[in-house]
Amino acid sequence: MDDYLQAAIDEAKAGLQEGGIPIGSVLVHDSKIIGRGHNKRIQKGSVVLHAEMDALENAGRLRSSIYKNSILYTTLSPCPMCAGAILLYGIPKVMIGENKTYMGAEALLIQKGVEVVVVNNNECIEMMENFIKANPGLWNEDIGK
């Protein structure tokens, strides 16, 4: 498995251990992780701290040229908010752990020229399936059902 996807999975597991939703993300530039994060919506009572947003926040302020030469790894297909951040910062490639439990705004990303690669990693799928089964209320609250 890709080391960067594994780092995103490790972030997802950290979020789960904190009582949150197990979604993780890392931002990679020049073969180095420059930002990492996980969904902290529950832990922080936040409406915007999805894994991708947390990874971008933790990367700190960067020059646009860095974003434009980075890859964002995420364990779950990005929602419209996170896809918007990807587009805003011009991140050209997104590696997605899985989109079986949730299909985010991949079509928008592709339409706007972002390279989207979905690996459908079994660990990512099982982690989300188990969480959704055990916590349907928390999951449905976040995705608006």
Side-chain angles (χ1 to χ4, degrees):
M1 178 190 325
D2 185 302
D3 288 343
Y4 304 121
L5 181 57
Q6 184 60 58
I9 291 170
D10 292 345
E11 283 292 327
K13 289 177 180 176
L16 185 61
Q17 288 176 342
E18 295 169 359
I21 299 173
I23 305 168
S25 183
V26 296
L27 183 65
V28 177
H29 180 261
D30 283 343
S31 301
K32 287 188 278 198
I33 295 174
I34 60 171
R36 58 175 62 233
H38 51 271
N39 187 302
K40 292 180 180 160
R41 195 177 58 76
I42 295 166
Q43 300 92 309
K44 301 267 186 179
S46 172
V47 297
V48 295
L49 274 182
H50 286 190
E52 301 89 339
M53 303 298 273
D54 192 40
L56 290 169
E57 178 72 14
N58 290 330
R61 292 176 56 200
L62 302 170
R63 293 185 319 276
S64 63
S65 62
I66 293 175
Y67 294 115
K68 290 177 180 6
N69 290 290
S70 293
I71 301 171
L72 185 74
Y73 287 74
T74 182
T75 59
L76 186 65
S77 185
C79 75
M81 174 182 68
C82 296
I86 291 163
L87 295 174
L88 178 67
Y89 292 107
I91 298 168
K93 184 174 182 178
V94 179
M95 298 290 294
I96 298 170
E98 69 105 346
N99 65 3
K100 300 244 183 253
T101 61
Y102 174 75
M103 172 62 76
E106 293 175 27
L108 173 63
L109 292 171
I110 292 166
Q111 176 191 6
K112 297 292 187 177
V114 175
E115 181 183 355
V116 173
V117 179
V118 181
V119 297
N120 279 322
N121 172 278
N122 286 332
E123 188 173 6
C124 292
I125 294 167
E126 289 174 17
M127 196 167 22
M128 283 309 301
E129 284 178 344
N130 291 339
F131 180 83
I132 292 167
K133 186 176 181 181
N135 303 280
L138 290 175
W139 175 244
N140 291 331
E141 174 189 316
D142 194 34
I143 63 168
K145 290 194 176 184

